[in-house]
Structure formats: structure tokens, C-alpha cells
Amino acid sequence: NMKKILDLEQYGRIISSERASKIQKAMIRKRLGLPPARNLGSKATKLLFKNMDRRVKAIKQMRFLWKRGILKKGHGIPKMPDKAVEASETQTVSTIVRARDGLLQML
């Protein structure tokens, strides 16, 4: 339903702003016909709320880091490093070759 999607987007913008209080957010949820908690409703609604809450948490964390001066204003939170690349420690491929004297050498 298109109206429901637009309502969820509107609610997402409201909860990501710092101006709305907890009671105001609850009232807006009720007015839009959304469930009172993120663990209630259909599976699709639960997934939407979960994603929305994660995004809002990241935005709040970013604002906190800006305020403390850890991140520069306008910069986002850095991406998580790739575990596979980090485990290999180096991104170059090593090849082992037998030298003339019979010993193995890494190139």
C-alpha cells in the first residue's frame, strides 16, 4: 500500500530528527496507524521498523561523534573493514617458486 509506505517514510524522518519527544513519536505512530512497538505487526512491518531503527541509531551516533569532534561535520561513519581482506593481512598474492639451489622462494 503506497499510503502506508509514505507514512513510514514520514515517520522515519520524524524519529531521525532530535526535536520529537518520546510521547510525540508515540502519538505520531498512533495517528499513522503504525504498531506501538517495533516487534508488533506483520513480518514486513517488523523488518521496516528494524531497518529504520538501525538507520536512526547510526544517525544519532554520527551526530554524537560530530559533537565530540571525533568526526568532521558532514562526514559519515566509515565502512566496516572487509573480514576476508583483513584476515589475509595483505592484498597481494604470493607465489612460491623453487630456486636453482633447490630451496623455495616467495615472490
Side-chain angles (χ1 to χ4, degrees), residues 5 16 20 26 29 36 43 56 74 76:
I5 293 169
S16 64
R29 273 187 178 195
K43 284 201 173 210
V56 168

Side-chain angles (χ1 to χ4, degrees), residues 14-62:
I14 290 166
I15 62 169
S16 64
S17 74
E18 295 176 338
R19 296 181 180 199
S21 69
K22 192 174 181 180
I23 293 170
Q24 288 173 324
K25 290 173 191 174
M27 289 170 59
I28 291 164
R29 273 187 178 195
K30 188 162 190 167
R31 193 175 71 218
L32 294 176
L34 300 172
R38 82 173 208 191
N39 62 331
L40 302 173
S42 67
K43 284 201 173 210
T45 311
K46 287 180 190 178
L47 186 65
L48 282 168
F49 273 120
K50 186 176 183 181
N51 292 337
M52 198 182 306
D53 286 348
R54 282 184 176 166
R55 189 169 61 241
V56 168
K57 188 176 179 182
I59 290 168
K60 284 183 179 178
Q61 177 71 10
M62 197 169 53

Side-chain angles (χ1 to χ4, degrees), residues 59 62-63 65-67 69-78:
I59 290 168
M62 197 169 53
R63 284 186 185 140
L65 294 174
W66 287 349
K67 201 181 287 184
I70 297 167
L71 277 180
K72 290 184 179 176
K73 293 271 184 181
H75 284 246
I77 295 175

